[in-house]
Amino acid sequence: GLLKSRLGRKKDCIVVLLCEKNYIMALSAAIIRCCPPLYNDKSTASPDTFNMAVVAVAADAAGVEYMSSGVISSLNAMASGIRLTQSLVDKPPNILNTDAMLEHAKAVCAEQVSGGTVKMEVIRGEDLDKRGMGGLWNVGKAAPAPPALAILSYEPTGTAADAKTVCWVGKGIVYDTGGLSMKGKLDMPSMKRDMGGSAAILGAFQAAIKIGVPYRLHALLCLAENSVDSIAMRP
C-alpha cells in the first residue's frame, strides 16, 4: 500500500528490491502492478509521465549480488507485458471493442523479435461458424464489431520437429451484457473486465517472445462482445 501511494504521485523514483533469487520475478511483477494506470481519457488528465527504476538485488547465504543483464532483460519484458495487460483492462468497451483488441494483437506480433518468428491468423465473423466455432460466433454475432479468434504463434529459430509446444487461451469478452439473458445492474458494470483473460495472455505472449522462450508458443484470443439485438442468440 505504501509503494502504491508513492507511485500514484507520478514522480520519478527508484525502488530497491532486496530479496532471495527465487522471489525476484514475483516481487518485481508486484511492484510493476502498483504503477498508475496507463489509460486515462479525462479532459483534466495530466499528460505528465514518470520514470521508475527497480534495482533488483539477490541476497542469500552466499552474500549479495546484482542481477545479470539477462535477468534484467527478462524483467523488463515482463514489465512491458504487465503494463500492456493493465492498459487493456482499464479501457472502456466503447473504445476497446474486438476491432481494437485485434489491432493491439497485431502490434505485438509486429514487434522486433531476434530469437524466432511470429505470425498471426484471424478467423472472424461467419467464418467462425463455418469452421465449427459456433459458440464464439453466436455469443458475439449481435455486436456491431464481429467476434474473432486471433491465433498468435511464435516459433524459435532452429526448433526441432519434436520440440515442445505450449498453447495459452484467453477469454476476451470485451463486454458481457448477458445477451438476452440480461445481467442485473449490480453485475453488469464490472463486465468490461470480462476480456481480462485475453489481455493477460496477450501481455504474457509479448513478454515470452521478447525473452525468447525455447519452445513453440501459441496464444489464442477468443474475442467477442455479448450484446443485445434481434439476431442475438436465444437462451
Side-chain angles (χ1 to χ4, degrees), residues 100-180:
M101 278 294 294
L102 287 173
E103 289 303 315
H104 283 288
K106 289 176 184 176
V108 168
C109 291
E111 293 182 9
Q112 293 282 34
V113 177
S114 58
T117 58
V118 182
K119 63 181 181 179
M120 176 176 170
E121 178 186 1
V122 177
I123 305 171
R124 194 159 201 204
E126 294 183 3
D127 284 342
L128 289 168
D129 194 31
K130 294 174 182 177
R131 296 179 64 171
M133 289 166 271
L136 185 58
W137 161 244
N138 280 291
V139 167
K141 67 182 180 181
L149 176 67
I151 306 165
L152 286 61
S153 301
Y154 169 75
E155 173 120 7
T157 303
T159 306
D162 59 349
K164 180 173 73 171
T165 298
V166 174
C167 182
W168 297 335
V169 183
K171 179 183 179 182
I173 308 301
V174 294
Y175 195 73
D176 189 2
T177 64
L180 295 182

Side-chain angles (χ1 to χ4, degrees), residues 81 84-86 88-89 101 171-172 195-204 221:
L84 171 62
T85 298
Q86 282 180 297
L88 294 175
V89 174
M101 278 294 294
K171 179 183 179 182
M195 41 61 67
S198 63
I201 292 300
L202 184 58
L221 311 181

Side-chain angles (χ1 to χ4, degrees), residues 139 176-183 188 226-229 232-233 235:
V139 167
D176 189 2
T177 64
L180 295 182
S181 300
M182 185 76 71
K183 294 182 182 294
M188 201 182 297
N226 191 6
S227 192
V228 180
D229 191 80
M233 181 176 64

Side-chain angles (χ1 to χ4, degrees), residues 19-163:
C19 66
E20 295 181 15
K21 283 184 179 180
N22 293 341
Y23 303 130
I24 287 286
M25 187 70 74
L27 290 176
S28 296
I31 291 172
I32 299 303
R33 184 65 185 87
C34 289
C35 293
L38 286 174
Y39 176 79
N40 193 335
D41 200 32
K42 294 181 179 178
S43 58
T44 57
S46 170
D48 297 336
T49 59
F50 74 103
N51 298 308
M52 182 182 72
V54 178
V55 181
V57 183
D60 52 30
V64 175
E65 63 175 291
Y66 289 95
M67 292 293 92
S68 67
S69 59
V71 172
I72 292 173
S73 177
S74 295
L75 291 175
N76 282 328
M78 178 189 69
S80 296
I82 290 173
R83 295 297 278 162
L84 171 62
T85 298
Q86 282 180 297
S87 68
L88 294 175
V89 174
D90 285 336
K91 286 182 171 66
N94 61 312
I95 291 176
L96 191 75
N97 57 16
T98 56
D99 291 338
M101 278 294 294
L102 287 173
E103 289 303 315
H104 283 288
K106 289 176 184 176
V108 168
C109 291
E111 293 182 9
Q112 293 282 34
V113 177
S114 58
T117 58
V118 182
K119 63 181 181 179
M120 176 176 170
E121 178 186 1
V122 177
I123 305 171
R124 194 159 201 204
E126 294 183 3
D127 284 342
L128 289 168
D129 194 31
K130 294 174 182 177
R131 296 179 64 171
M133 289 166 271
L136 185 58
W137 161 244
N138 280 291
V139 167
K141 67 182 180 181
L149 176 67
I151 306 165
L152 286 61
S153 301
Y154 169 75
E155 173 120 7
T157 303
T159 306
D162 59 349

